[in-house]
Amino acid sequence: MDKQDADCIHAYLNGDADALAPLVEKYKRPLYSFILKMTEGREDADEIFQETWFRALKNVHKFKHKNFLNWLFRIAHNLVIDRARRNKKNVSMQSSMGGEDGTNTLEDHLAAPGISPSEEVGGTSLGIQIDAAVQTLSPEQKEVFLLRMYGDVSFKEIAKVQKCSINTCLARMQYALAKLRSILKEEYEELQEAMS
């Protein structure tokens, strides 16, 4: 385990209530990014992020893992799964919400996740296309892809989070990459031409 992480946890367990603040700061971005990409919207992500830290603080005395961030990812993974099981009722984004012309949908009322229009104009439309392609992956494939690419988590640790074999984890990543290559083929070819 990272020495700084171990020192913070040790100090917290010895009564320093503020000792985990550096860990929250250190891991908030990768943890929140993972949760946001695994959930349906920012409200869910905020709630799961807070609950992840609440559970981590409550159970830090039980922490026996080598990597604190991977432990946080596992807690978040379990919370996302629990939330999905509770919220079995799905609402279509194309569901009508009324309106004068009858074409007003739920999707029209939601802010687009991810990059703002000004950032898109700045040359990040490929990032939006990649995010959209990632959303088409199965939940298991999406989780492997996000943990590996954004969380830099080893396949061994991802297999532990997903409670599957490393081979299953590797296969999920392979299928995810194949699907993303297929979806993003035209964008990749355009990028190659632009760079030639």
Side-chain angles (χ1 to χ4, degrees):
M1 176 179 8
D2 180 88
K3 182 169 175 19
Q4 178 190 10
D5 293 2
D7 291 345
C8 290
I9 292 168
H10 182 71
Y12 180 79
L13 292 174
N14 286 326
D16 182 356
D18 297 326
L20 293 183
L23 294 183
V24 173
E25 190 61 34
K26 179 179 179 181
Y27 294 128
K28 73 179 177 184
R29 186 176 185 136
L31 179 63
Y32 189 78
S33 177
F34 168 72
I35 293 169
L36 185 61
K37 291 180 184 301
M38 289 299 296
T39 58
E40 296 293 318
R42 187 169 291 278
E43 184 177 315
D44 278 345
D46 290 343
E47 290 174 15
I48 291 171
F49 180 78
Q50 291 173 10
E51 182 65 20
T52 299
W53 280 107
F54 174 76
R55 289 192 184 185
L57 292 173
K58 183 178 173 184
N59 296 300
V60 74
H61 65 282
K62 298 178 185 176
F63 176 71
K64 304 269 190 263
H65 304 275
K66 292 180 182 177
N67 186 307
F68 191 72
L69 181 59
N70 289 351
W71 186 58
L72 293 172
F73 282 146
R74 180 175 286 177
I75 293 169
H77 161 86
N78 291 337
L79 289 169
V80 169
I81 297 295
D82 290 347
R83 170 86 42 121
R85 286 182 186 145
R86 280 195 316 265
N87 297 334
K88 288 187 180 181
K89 180 182 175 190
N90 291 325
V91 176
S92 169
M93 297 302 280
Q94 305 307 318
S95 298
S96 175
M97 291 187 63
E100 293 176 20
D101 60 0
T103 60
N104 201 358
T105 65
L106 179 59
E107 185 175 37
D108 297 332
H109 290 278
L110 297 176
I115 299 168
S116 70
S118 63
E119 291 169 320
E120 183 176 346
V121 170
T124 57
S125 65
L126 181 58
I128 291 172
Q129 293 168 327
I130 292 170
D131 283 346
V134 168
Q135 295 304 316
T136 68
L137 299 173
S138 73
E140 295 84 6
Q141 292 172 5
K142 182 165 91 170
E143 185 174 46
V144 170
F145 180 80
L146 294 173
L147 284 171
R148 184 70 185 136
M149 301 307 291
Y150 293 102
D152 198 29
V153 178
S154 72
F155 285 110
K156 182 178 179 181
E157 289 297 320
I158 296 171
K160 287 180 187 175
V161 167
Q162 291 195 325
K163 297 179 182 153
C164 65
S165 70
I166 291 178
N167 288 340
T168 299
C169 187
L170 291 169
R172 288 174 178 168
M173 183 65 161
Q174 184 178 9
Y175 289 127
L177 292 174
K179 185 170 183 178
L180 293 174
R181 278 188 203 108
S182 172
I183 293 170
L184 298 167
K185 183 179 180 180
E186 289 179 23
E187 288 78 6
Y188 177 75
E189 289 171 355
E190 287 175 15
L191 186 61
Q192 290 291 58
E193 286 177 19
M195 294 177 74
S196 316

